[in-house]
């Protein structure tokens, strides 16, 4: 797809979702309030070693990394981001400036690699998924969570569908996001040979005053200047959408958070014995 109207290189940091926006921290907090409960419930049912090494990629404002450090006090928690400004002052967390597109970690360094609302925005998402698995130890868990906008793209409400399509087009063109990719996550993990794969989803609704509704509104508000500038929506569309959302009779599923996880197969005894025999790590 060509992007004749975009002067800047596409990418998260230069986009309307980047940290240069005054409201970014507040917007990320709305995302955390909406999604932390599902993420935490996923971690609660994983069996982890006594002192797990946990990596949270693209950790944003860090609420989940902070929760992980509290939940697993003996763990080593590493939180990365391309922009670490919002990760400062988090106790017990190792913060690393790391671009997951270009930077690596040594093989077999972690017991858990987690990423939320990150890979859907990166064009290299499937290659990163494959690389992230190499950073896991045998028996380690890959936990990937991403947002799908499919519910609002397929709604029967024409105004919500129009607003969602405009948002998806903006995200595709300005960042390279794929806002339907999350729906493929369970298959992506199975296809990469992970075992014990499973997934859970959270339906995010709008118009009901929920945490997901607040996140949707904060993200849409941050996108308004770009949506208008690129003529993806008019001010009348935006006003009509605000009226619809405020209508007490209106509520609609707008997004799904898909949380998918799978485990790197543990070395069986024969493999382990053979490695020992050949003095391999
Ligand atoms: C939508 S936020 C999600 C933050 C956090 N994972 C959460 O769910 O609360 C996406 C985050 O990914 C970061 N990010 C974008 N591109 C990245 C890259 N190439 N490498 C590492 N982090 C990146 C952004 O700076 C931002 O903090």
């Amino acid at each position: 797809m060509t992007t004749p109207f975009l002067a800047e290189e596409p990418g998260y940091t230069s986009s309307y979702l980047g940290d240069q926006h005054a409201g970014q921290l507040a917007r990320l907090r709305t995302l955390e309030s909406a999604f932390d409960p599902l993420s935490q419930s996923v971690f609660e049912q994983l069996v982890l070693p006594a002192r797990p090494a946990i990596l949270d990629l693209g950790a944003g404002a860090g609420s989940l990394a902070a929760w992980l450090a509290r939940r697993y006090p003996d763990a080593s928690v590493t939180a990365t981001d391309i922009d670490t400004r919002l990760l400062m002052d988090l106790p017990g967390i190792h913060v690393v400036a790391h671009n997951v597109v270009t930077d690596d970690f040594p093989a077999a360094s972690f017991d858990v690699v987690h990423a939320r609302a990150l890979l859907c925005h990166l064009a290299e998402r499937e290659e990163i998924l494959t690389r992230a698995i190499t950073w896991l130890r045998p028996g380690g868990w890959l936990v990937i969570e991403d947002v799908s906008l499919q519910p609002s793209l397929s709604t029967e409400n024409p105004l919500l569908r129009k607003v969602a399509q405009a948002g998806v087009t903006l995200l595709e063109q300005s960042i390279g996001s794929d806002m339907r990719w999350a729906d493929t996550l369970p298959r992506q993990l199975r296809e990469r040979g992970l075992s014990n794969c499973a997934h859970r989803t959270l339906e995010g609704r709008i118009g009901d005053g929920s945490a997901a509704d607040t996140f949707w509104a904060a993200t849409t508000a941050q996108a308004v200047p770009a949506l208008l500038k690129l003529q993806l929506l008019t001010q009348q569309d935006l006003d009509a959408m605000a009226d619809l959302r405020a209508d007490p009779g209106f509520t609609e599923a707008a997004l799904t958070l898909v949380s998918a996880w799978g485990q790197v197969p543990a070395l069986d005894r024969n493999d382990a014995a053979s490695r020992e025999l050949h003095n391999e790590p």
Side-chain angles (χ1 to χ4, degrees):
M1 193 177 294
T2 55
T3 55
F5 40 69
L6 286 170
E8 293 192 63
E9 279 288 299
Y12 193 95
T13 41
S14 60
S15 78
Y16 79 96
L17 291 182
D19 285 357
Q20 74 277 10
H21 292 275
Q24 178 71 343
L25 177 58
R27 191 184 75 84
L28 288 178
R29 292 287 180 234
T30 67
L31 180 156
E32 294 172 343
S33 300
F35 298 156
D36 278 1
L38 178 67
S39 305
Q40 292 172 8
S41 79
V42 167
F43 272 91
E44 289 292 0
Q45 48 81 56
L46 296 180
V47 178
L48 301 185
R51 290 184 174 74
I54 303 176
L55 172 64
D56 189 17
L57 292 164
S63 73
L64 194 71
W67 178 81
L68 287 166
R70 289 193 305 274
R71 170 65 183 79
Y72 305 101
D74 295 326
S76 118
V77 178
T78 302
T80 73
D81 206 284
I82 200 167
D83 179 345
T84 56
R85 277 175 295 177
L86 301 177
L87 289 171
M88 295 307 156
D89 307 325
L90 291 179
I93 291 169
H94 183 216
V95 176
V96 179
H98 180 275
N99 181 342
V100 72
V101 176
T102 52
D103 300 336
D104 238 314
F105 283 100
S109 335
F110 297 100
D111 299 295
V112 183
V113 174
H114 170 262
R116 184 176 72 187
L118 171 67
L119 297 186
C120 65
H121 295 305
L122 303 176
E124 302 80 357
R125 56 190 73 84
E126 297 194 1
E127 183 260 324
I128 296 169
L129 212 49
T130 303
R131 269 191 310 122
I133 292 172
T134 69
W135 303 337
L136 283 164
R137 298 173 179 150
W141 292 97
L142 183 69
V143 184
I144 303 294
E145 308 185 280
D146 256 309
V147 178
S148 167
L149 291 182
Q150 188 56 44
S152 43
L153 290 168
S154 51
T155 174
E156 287 181 8
N157 185 305
L159 178 60
L160 177 57
R161 217 170 46 234
K162 182 178 184 184
V163 171
Q165 188 53 63
V168 166
T169 302
L170 178 62
L171 284 160
E172 275 174 6
Q173 296 194 353
S174 61
I175 302 179
S177 311
D178 180 345
M179 298 314 295
R180 294 181 182 88
W181 184 75
D183 295 319
T184 74
L185 271 173
R187 173 173 62 75
Q188 303 276 355
L189 268 49
R190 279 196 310 276
E191 283 178 356
R192 283 167 176 77
L194 297 181
S195 53
N196 299 315
C197 290
H199 69 279
R200 281 184 192 172
T201 58
L202 176 150
E203 180 188 76
R205 300 186 71 81
I206 60 169
D208 60 356
S210 61
D213 175 63
T214 308
F215 164 61
W216 186 92
T219 303
T220 307
Q222 199 159 300
V224 162
L227 289 166
L228 292 176
K229 184 172 164 206
L230 303 182
Q231 298 177 355
L232 292 168
L233 290 176
T234 63
Q235 189 58 55
Q236 285 90 324
D237 294 327
L238 292 163
D239 293 343
M241 188 65 229
D243 290 346
L244 179 65
R245 188 170 153 259
D247 180 342
F250 169 77
T251 176
E252 188 88 39
L255 56 90
T256 312
L257 179 68
V258 181
S259 180
W261 61 95
Q263 191 171 27
V264 173
L267 288 178
D268 69 28
R269 277 214 206 112
N270 291 340
D271 280 351
S274 141
R275 276 169 185 261
E276 226 167 84
L277 196 66
H278 295 96
N279 216 8
E280 290 172 15

